[in-house]
């Protein structure tokens, strides 16, 4: 409960004082889970829906609306937004880093648009890596097994002079294909190599400079075409100045380039440029202001196939935004009111206003009651406005939704967080979400089935609760539990011709349960993670339960040897996706075991 988070209010605050449905995944949590990728690590947050589609693809969302192209969840890595404007989601196969270098992952379920802007609709994932001074020396990691066939990483941290500290790394992995329901392997094995660095310099007592970047290159097998080619890189610089005990300023600039070529389909080259400024300062002992400005430019170029097209193929789009937020202590140290809004302009819909109000009441020491009301918007992507099929007129299958507007959410939240004893912490978040102008597939000339276009013909609502508990049974045994109950309802707006409302937008289980146990016995560690996911009715995906186990031995503080078993309860099982054709072609996730050696020196 004393872990500091920054994603909710834009300032460091204790988890116990945060008026939000937020969970934190720590570096120790990731290490002891046996996770080997960011999506696997995100399973540790019980307020997320995390479903593996095949060897490289994942469907990840918060509070519903999960799909292969989930578009209501904003993801940041060290302040860099990693969503693609192609469909307003995340290509999870190219989001990677050395997991041992992650400091924490803050997972907000619920809107975060006042601080983070459009697409922070149902949640925010903020991944923060460690400072270079925390990763000095060398790290070697190697292993392999059944599904994760082989992997390795080398990282080294050092100093340049008295004021500059840095780290550099390189990593690689090879993953095996997933299987069909009959156990036959389907060709989607893949590998990726990534390298990067981070350097920080103390310019003065109050000023610091951070520069970091990554490069990656990978190949993904396809059943009936040549390998998918993915590559890219990013470069980020951040200047920070401490202005006082509760005052600071940050200026961040980054460039991100991605390339993806899918033989038999499309190819994309995307350049993104972003500059962001934030300033935090107190006023009069009761107010804590934070404000910021942001400019973002994307240049996207598509090589279109014959079957479909993004038109125009080459676009340049801009976003301008500013926000202001005031934390007002109505009763000092007891009752805090936070008011704020984001004003954003985009090239598709113009100005979007995304306000929020949060009230936090410290009932007593270790007990917090909070509530919030927020508006958030999911702005159009290229798929919504510029997607046509076939690639040449008359577009008799699909015509771009030239009038597609932002999807809107009004969210109401109520939560409680408490630490009734030193060994026990609990949190409960409840919510009701009211959606309007949701994406639909409309008929151009009803009742003719085709052509169709992307419209805003759906409304919807969702409600549910998220409960977590963290209990230290003894000094060497920790137990954690998380449970989420969720209901999503979608319906037509008057005049809509959508014939199958929402099946491509929301594919969610009604409940998710996770149980974790971490046991230490001398220099041995035994970790178990059990998860239960209910049926996804819209896709006819059966409910399942699974178990992951990790056994580790540390003969010395610098050496760790471990063996990890994943999905141990079934030879293979489906987690997401619709069956296609006459046969069951949905891929299933296999049981896997791997060994790992980690050496620090």
């Amino acid at each position: 409960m004393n872990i500091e988070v920054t994603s909710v209010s834009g300032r460091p605050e204790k988890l116990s004082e945060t008026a939000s449905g937020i969970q934190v995944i720590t570096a120790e949590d990731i290490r002891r889970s046996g996770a080997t990728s960011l999506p696997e690590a995100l399973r540790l947050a019980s307020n997320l829906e995390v479903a593996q589609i095949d060897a490289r693809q994942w469907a990840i969302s918060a509070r519903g609306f999960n799909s292969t192209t989930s578009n209501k969840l904003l993801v940041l890595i060290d302040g860099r937004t990693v969503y693609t404007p192609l469909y307003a989601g995340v290509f999870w196969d190219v989001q990677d880093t050395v997991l041992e270098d992650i400091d924490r992952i803050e997972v907000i379920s619920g809107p975060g648009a006042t601080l983070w802007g459009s697409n922070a609709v149902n949640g925010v994932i903020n991944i923060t890596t460690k400072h270079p001074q925390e990763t000095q020396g060398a790290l070697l990691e190697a292993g392999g097994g059944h599904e994760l066939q082989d992997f390795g990483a080398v990282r080294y941290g050092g100093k340049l002079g008295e004021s500059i500290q840095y780290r550099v790394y390189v990593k690689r992995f090879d993953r095996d294909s997933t299987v069909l329901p009959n156990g036959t392997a389907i060709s989607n094995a893949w590998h990726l190599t990534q390298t990067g660095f981070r350097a920080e310099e103390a310019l003065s007592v109050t000023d610091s400079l951070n520069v970091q970047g990554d490069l990656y290159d990978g190949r993904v097998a396809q059943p009936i075409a040549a390998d998918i080619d993915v590559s890219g890189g990013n470069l980020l610089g951040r200047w920070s100045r401490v202005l006082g005990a509760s005052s600071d300023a940050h200026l961040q600039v980054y460039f991100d380039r991605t390339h993806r070529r899918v033989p038999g389909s499309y190819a994309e080259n995307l350049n993104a440029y972003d500059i962001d400024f934030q300033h935090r300062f107190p006023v009069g002992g009761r107010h804590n202001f934070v404000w910021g400005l942001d400019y973002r430019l994307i240049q996207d170029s598509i090589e279109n196939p014959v079957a479909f097209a993004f038109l125009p193929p080459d676009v340049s789009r801009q976003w301008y935004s500013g926000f202001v937020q005031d934390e007002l202590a109505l009763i000092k140290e007891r009752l805090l009111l936070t008011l704020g809004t984001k004003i954003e302009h985009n090239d598709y819909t113009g100005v979007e206003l995304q306000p929020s109000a949060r009230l936090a009441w410290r009932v007593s020491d270790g007990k917090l009651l909070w509530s919030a009301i927020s508006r958030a918007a999911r702005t159009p992507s290229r798929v919504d406005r510029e997607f046509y099929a076939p690639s040449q007129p008359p577009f008799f299958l699909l015509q771009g939704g030239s009038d597609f507007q932002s999807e809107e959410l009004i969210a109401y939240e109520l939560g409680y967080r408490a630490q009734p004893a030193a060994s026990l912490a609990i949190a409960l978040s409840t919510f009701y979400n009211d959606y309007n102008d949701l994406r639909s597939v409309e008929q151009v000339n009803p009742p003719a089935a085709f052509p169709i276009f992307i419209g805003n013909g759906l409304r919807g609502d969702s409600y549910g609760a998220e409960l977590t508990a963290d209990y230290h049974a003894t000094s060497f045994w920790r137990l954690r539990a998380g449970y989420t109950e969720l209901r999503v309802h979608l319906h037509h707006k008057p005049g809509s011709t959508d014939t199958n409302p929402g099946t491509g937008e929301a594919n969610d289980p009604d409940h998710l349960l996770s149980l974790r146990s971490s046991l230490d016995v001398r220099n041995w560690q035994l970790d178990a993670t059990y998860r239960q996911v209910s049926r996804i009715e819209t896709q006819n995906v059966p409910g399942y339960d699974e178990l992951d186990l990790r056994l580790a031995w540390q003969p010395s503080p610098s050496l760790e040897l471990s063996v990890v078993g994943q999905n141990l309860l079934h030879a293979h099982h489906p987690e997401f996706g619709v069956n296609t054709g006459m046969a069951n072609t949905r891929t299933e996730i296999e049981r896997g075991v791997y060994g790992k050696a980690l050496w620090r020196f």
Side-chain angles (χ1 to χ4, degrees):
M1 287 298 226
N2 289 325
I3 294 175
E4 283 195 344
V5 297
T6 60
S7 301
V8 176
S9 64
R11 64 172 179 85
E13 59 183 336
K14 292 181 180 180
L15 180 62
S16 59
E17 301 172 353
T18 305
S20 171
I22 184 172
Q23 296 184 27
V24 180
I25 304 169
T26 67
E28 180 71 359
D29 293 334
I30 296 172
R31 184 180 68 85
R32 299 204 53 163
S33 71
T36 60
S37 67
L38 284 175
E40 288 180 3
L42 292 175
R43 286 196 193 272
L44 300 174
S46 61
N47 57 347
L48 286 179
E49 297 173 46
V50 181
Q52 188 171 0
I53 301 169
D54 59 25
R56 69 175 180 92
Q57 296 186 94
W58 296 75
I60 301 176
S61 71
R63 295 186 175 174
F65 290 85
N66 208 8
S67 74
T68 54
T69 56
S70 297
N71 55 27
K72 296 177 178 61
L73 181 69
L74 187 68
V75 182
L76 305 104
I77 301 178
D78 285 330
R80 175 174 56 89
T81 300
V82 298
Y83 94 106
T84 172
L86 195 68
Y87 67 90
V90 177
F91 284 117
W92 286 104
D93 53 2
V94 295
Q95 311 307 328
D96 200 10
T97 188
V98 177
L99 294 188
E100 284 75 14
D101 290 347
I102 293 177
D103 178 63
R104 68 188 184 279
I105 303 176
E106 300 177 17
V107 179
I108 299 173
S109 50
T114 296
L115 283 184
W116 303 110
S118 297
N119 302 98
V121 177
N122 281 2
V124 178
I125 297 174
N126 191 4
I127 301 166
T128 302
T129 62
K130 297 174 182 176
H131 295 283
Q133 55 265 36
E134 301 174 89
T135 55
Q136 295 293 287
L139 177 144
L140 297 176
E141 176 188 84
H146 180 240
E147 291 303 297
L148 181 57
Q149 294 177 319
D150 57 75
F151 62 95
V154 180
R155 183 255 286 155
Y156 180 77
K159 295 183 178 181
L160 295 174
E162 294 297 322
S163 60
I164 300 177
Q165 300 189 72
Y166 70 90
R167 68 168 174 264
V168 294
Y169 76 89
V170 61
K171 66 174 298 186
R172 178 187 167 86
F173 63 79
D174 288 90
R175 294 183 181 270
D176 197 10
S177 299
T178 48
V179 298
L180 296 174
N182 62 9
T184 303
I186 185 169
S187 181
N188 54 28
W190 69 300
H191 64 82
L192 186 126
T193 302
Q194 181 164 313
T195 185
F197 76 98
R198 177 169 176 174
E200 292 186 3
E201 181 178 9
L203 301 173
S204 67
V205 176
T206 59
D207 293 68
S208 62
L209 177 66
N210 171 74
V211 180
Q212 62 189 83
D214 307 278
L215 291 171
Y216 65 86
D217 183 79
R219 299 291 184 274
V220 184
Q222 296 190 94
I224 57 174
D227 291 353
I228 299 171
D229 170 24
V230 293
S231 62
N234 61 82
L235 183 64
L236 178 147
R238 183 187 303 109
W239 165 80
S240 301
R241 169 171 285 184
V242 177
L243 302 172
S246 301
S247 179
D248 51 46
H250 307 274
L251 177 65
Q252 176 180 280
V253 180
Y254 71 79
F255 166 72
D256 196 336
R257 176 175 175 80
T258 61
H259 164 79
R260 181 177 295 264
R261 179 176 294 276
V262 185
S265 185
Y266 73 99
E268 180 189 29
N269 290 292
L270 171 67
N271 294 329
Y273 307 82
D274 191 279
I275 179 168
D276 179 87
F277 176 77
Q278 290 191 25
H279 179 207
R280 178 175 66 98
F281 59 96
V283 176
R286 287 187 176 271
H287 295 269
N288 196 337
F289 278 94
V290 58
W291 67 278
L293 300 171
D294 183 83
Y295 170 74
R296 180 176 174 85
L297 167 69
I298 66 102
Q299 297 170 333
D300 194 29
S301 178
I302 300 290
E303 296 178 24
N304 289 315
V306 174
F308 62 84
F310 291 88
L311 299 176
D314 302 329
V315 299
S316 179
R317 302 286 186 231
Q318 300 180 85
W319 287 260
Y320 305 86
S321 67
F323 79 91
V324 61
Q325 182 170 277
D326 177 26
E327 293 182 348
L328 171 61
L330 300 175
I331 302 176
K332 196 170 183 180
E333 298 183 354
R334 286 296 179 187
L335 189 62
L336 184 71
L337 175 65
T338 302
L339 300 173
T341 190
K342 183 98 167 183
I343 303 174
E344 185 175 75
H345 181 276
N346 68 81
D347 287 347
Y348 289 115
T349 62
V351 175
E352 298 286 352
L353 189 67
Q354 302 182 89
S356 69
R358 295 182 180 273
L359 186 66
W361 174 32
R362 186 180 296 176
V363 180
S364 62
D365 289 345
K367 297 179 181 179
L368 182 77
L369 184 65
W370 62 271
S371 62
I373 180 172
S374 313
R375 180 188 187 273
R378 202 278 290 180
T379 55
S381 66
R382 296 204 65 185
V383 162
D384 301 314
R385 285 285 191 105
E386 300 158 1
F387 193 55
Y388 295 81
S391 59
Q392 300 294 328
F395 310 124
F396 57 84
L397 291 179
L398 173 65
Q399 300 178 6
S402 58
D403 295 326
F404 186 86
Q405 300 300 306
S406 296
E407 297 180 321
E408 179 187 4
L409 164 67
I410 305 296
Y412 308 86
E413 300 176 87
L414 179 65
Y416 179 72
R417 185 175 286 113
Q419 187 163 341
S423 60
L424 176 64
I426 58 174
L428 173 66
S429 300
T430 62
F431 63 93
Y432 175 80
N433 290 344
D434 184 15
Y435 298 91
N436 195 16
D437 291 333
L438 291 174
R439 184 165 61 185
S440 61
V441 179
E442 304 291 330
Q443 298 171 349
V444 174
N445 301 305
F450 293 99
I452 57 175
F453 69 96
I454 305 298
N456 298 97
L458 296 178
R459 290 186 58 96
D461 64 82
S462 67
Y463 57 89
E466 301 154 352
L467 176 65
T468 62
D470 191 335
Y471 177 54
H472 287 257
T474 67
S475 60
F476 54 85
W477 189 19
R478 183 183 181 188
L479 298 170
R480 281 159 289 182
Y483 180 79
T484 295
E485 189 77 17
L486 171 69
R487 296 292 185 274
V488 178
H489 302 109
L490 303 179
H491 53 269
H492 293 110
K493 294 169 61 177
S496 173
T497 57
D498 192 314
T499 59
N500 203 3
T503 55
E505 304 299 307
N507 301 282
D508 309 295
D510 287 344
H511 72 258
L512 304 95
L513 170 69
S514 68
L515 303 171
R516 285 190 284 157
S517 169
S518 299
L519 180 66
D520 295 278
V521 180
R522 298 185 182 274
N523 56 352
W524 290 86
Q525 297 175 346
L526 178 61
D527 298 277
T529 302
Y530 170 81
R531 66 183 186 276
Q532 183 184 84
V533 181
S534 67
R535 180 183 183 86
I536 301 177
E537 294 290 347
T538 54
Q539 296 182 331
N540 196 29
V541 177
Y544 72 93
D545 51 359
E546 274 299 354
L547 176 68
D548 298 342
L549 291 176
R550 171 183 174 271
L551 178 64
W553 176 49
Q554 289 185 292
S556 70
S558 61
L559 178 63
E560 178 182 282
L561 304 174
S562 60
V563 59
V564 176
Q566 297 175 311
N567 302 310
L568 296 177
L569 299 185
H570 303 90
H572 49 84
H573 70 277
E575 294 187 5
F576 203 84
V578 179
N579 298 336
T580 58
M582 297 297 293
N584 189 342
T585 57
R586 179 170 54 206
T587 59
E588 300 194 353
I589 311 307
E590 289 184 274
R591 177 187 297 130
V593 178
Y594 73 86
K596 173 181 171 181
L598 183 66
W599 184 29
R600 299 180 177 88
F601 59 96

